Amino acid sequence: AQSVTQLGSHVSVSEGALVLLRCNYSSSVPPYLFWYVQYPNQGLQLLLKYTSAATLVKGINGFEAEFKKSETSFHLTKPSAHMSDAAEYFCAVSALSGNTPLVFGKGTRLSVIA
Amino acid sequence: DSGVTQTPKHLITATGQRVTLRCSPRSGDLSVYWYQQSLDQGLQFLIQYYNGEERAKGNILERFSAQQFPDLHSELNLSSLELGDSALYFCASSVLAGGGVDEQFFGPGTRLTVL
């Protein structure tokens, strides 16, 4: 079974500050990990994904995440927050086999203060 | 725009009623997934269809059913609606049968309100 825990349902940062959104996973098989972003009144958009290649994954809009197996973590970071980054962020886990759907965390709402 | 379309955008109905949500996947995608997003449960996988056949099942209630048609569009049927069914229902599609390498593209969702 797989699960994801996102620490902090709400994170608030100042514009220009570092963004750090935390995600820890549990998986009995090698995981594939994803970060999705949901803007108000919109569907989910893939930010980045880890598929067992490089442990440091770069995504869209300046975001990146690092897979740390020893810590079972996949935290999302961005060096400098922009007002347009305000949204809900979801971490998700899947596995290689075809019958394992995405399992999402509860989400973290990111607020960016001017 | 992900290329996945969902109709209707909003749906308001009463308890005990039945509704149908529709999803058209991206061109070429064979898999369709349905998810429910609510404040208390978060984003939960309901069911997946691949090329017309049920592929995986999640936390889908017996009052809910889905199907995928030959043209690959999918419908999610919700019956005997309860207040707790009020949620945002997302459809996603992917090229293959699923798994980590198979990226899912999400539609804009249907917001269901049960009064």
Side-chain angles (χ1 to χ4, degrees):
Chain A
Q2 298 170 305
S3 65
V4 168
T5 301
Q6 291 185 240
L7 298 175
S9 60
H10 186 205
V11 170
S12 187
V13 301
S14 298
E15 191 174 19
L18 171 72
V19 175
L20 171 61
L21 305 182
R22 300 177 187 274
C23 171
N24 287 89
Y25 70 91
S26 172
S27 179
S28 56
V29 296
Y32 283 9
L33 295 157
F34 306 80
W35 276 99
Y36 282 85
V37 61
Q38 184 181 25
Y39 297 103
N41 300 314
Q42 293 187 28
L44 279 73
Q45 180 183 5
L46 182 67
L47 271 180
L48 50 81
K49 61 182 177 182
Y50 165 75
T51 57
S52 76
T55 57
L56 182 62
V57 181
K58 294 188 183 298
I60 61 172
N61 301 337
F63 285 93
E64 63 181 36
E66 186 172 9
F67 172 71
K68 292 187 176 179
K69 185 177 179 180
S70 61
E71 299 177 8
T72 61
S73 69
F74 190 58
H75 302 331
L76 182 71
T77 60
K78 182 174 180 178
S80 176
H82 192 272
M83 298 296 289
S84 61
D85 294 327
E88 187 96 18
Y89 291 80
F90 293 91
C91 182
V93 63
S94 179
L96 178 60
S97 65
N99 284 355
T100 54
L102 288 173
V103 175
F104 286 89
K106 295 285 189 184
T108 297
R109 181 169 299 279
L110 175 67
S111 297
V112 182
I113 305 166
Chain B
D1 184 355
S2 67
V4 178
T5 60
Q6 290 186 249
T7 57
K9 194 170 183 177
H10 301 278
L11 199 49
I12 301 174
T13 188
T15 55
Q17 294 299 304
R18 173 189 169 94
V19 297
T20 297
L21 312 184
R22 183 188 169 101
C23 169
S24 293
R26 293 187 322 153
S27 176
D29 284 0
L30 298 178
S31 273
V32 170
Y33 308 77
W34 287 98
Y35 293 87
Q36 179 193 58
Q37 185 180 34
S38 61
L39 284 176
D40 52 345
Q41 297 291 328
L43 195 61
Q44 289 207 314
F45 167 72
L46 296 179
I47 197 165
Q48 177 199 358
Y49 278 81
Y50 173 70
N51 205 21
E53 300 290 327
E54 183 182 304
R55 180 79 175 176
K57 213 167 187 177
N59 298 320
I60 188 166
L61 300 172
E62 284 192 12
R63 301 183 286 109
F64 296 0
S65 65
Q67 55 184 327
Q68 186 179 28
F69 294 87
D71 67 352
L72 300 178
H73 90 271
S74 177
E75 293 181 354
L76 179 67
N77 300 296
L78 316 176
S79 62
S80 303
L81 286 168
E82 302 174 0
L83 295 178
D85 297 328
S86 295
L88 196 52
Y89 291 85
F90 285 109
C91 166
S93 73
S94 68
V95 175
L96 303 173
V101 296
D102 196 19
E103 181 177 340
Q104 294 183 30
F105 294 84
F106 283 77
T110 292
R111 183 169 295 282
L112 174 65
T113 302
V114 182
L115 301 175

